Amino acid sequence: MIPIPSDLENRDFSLHALEETLKPMGFSIGGNWDYDQGSFDYKMGVEDGYQFLRIPFKAVKGMLDSPGVVVKLGKPFVLSHVYQSGVDADGRNGALRGAVDQFQTPVDPDGQVKDKFVEEGEKLLQEVEQSLMER
């Protein structure tokens, strides 16, 4: 994980406004959200895993599943998830297990990030800053 300094850090935004701005740019709300925190993820690459620019946020007014929620942005960062290839040797089988737990454990959830992805993340973050500051 490589943190990227940003003028957006610690700023409050309507989650709706963030979604209107970031989703057309290719961001999605990451699957690891709960009712008071989450992140916007931009998938930059698939070299030896998946590389993302992640912009974390935390609810400061309301809950994430309620209308009008306001969030505070955290420090953006670039990360690389390195996943197993092939069959998961430790996997448990069964219909119920397969319905609940479909994914293998990452080999390294915080893998080495190549410089080119850090540079791409910095450029993309500049575009995000410009788009959000114009609102």
Side-chain angles (χ1 to χ4, degrees):
M1 176 177 85
I2 308 293
I4 302 175
S6 173
D7 291 337
L8 297 175
E9 188 176 354
N10 294 317
R11 289 194 180 235
D12 294 352
F13 292 92
S14 151
L15 182 59
H16 180 73
L18 287 173
E19 288 181 297
E20 284 184 331
T21 301
L22 298 178
K23 284 186 175 183
M25 295 176 77
F27 282 86
S28 62
I29 292 183
N32 60 341
W33 70 276
D34 59 30
Y35 292 101
D36 66 350
Q37 64 184 354
S39 63
F40 281 97
D41 289 346
Y42 183 92
K43 188 176 180 181
M44 295 185 296
V46 291
E47 289 185 20
D48 301 322
Y50 299 109
Q51 293 73 38
F52 294 94
L53 170 60
R54 178 165 286 170
I55 304 173
F57 56 83
K58 186 171 212 127
V60 293
K61 180 182 172 195
M63 301 283 264
L64 294 183
D65 65 341
S66 62
V69 65
V70 175
V71 298
K72 181 180 295 293
L73 296 182
K75 183 180 284 292
F77 56 93
V78 175
L79 74 153
S80 181
H81 282 292
V82 180
Y83 290 95
Q84 298 180 34
S85 60
V87 176
D88 186 355
D90 296 326
R92 310 244 191 311
N93 60 10
L96 180 58
R97 179 61 133 176
V100 175
D101 185 8
Q102 300 176 26
F103 303 101
Q104 295 179 354
T105 305
V107 171
D108 188 352
D110 191 17
Q112 180 76 22
V113 179
K114 294 180 180 179
D115 289 343
K116 71 179 186 177
F117 292 115
V118 175
E119 292 168 11
E120 182 179 344
E122 290 170 340
K123 288 177 186 171
L124 182 58
L125 189 56
Q126 287 175 354
E127 293 175 28
V128 169
E129 288 171 343
Q130 184 177 6
S131 294
L132 289 174
M133 296 305 184
E134 291 173 355
R135 288 189 137 263

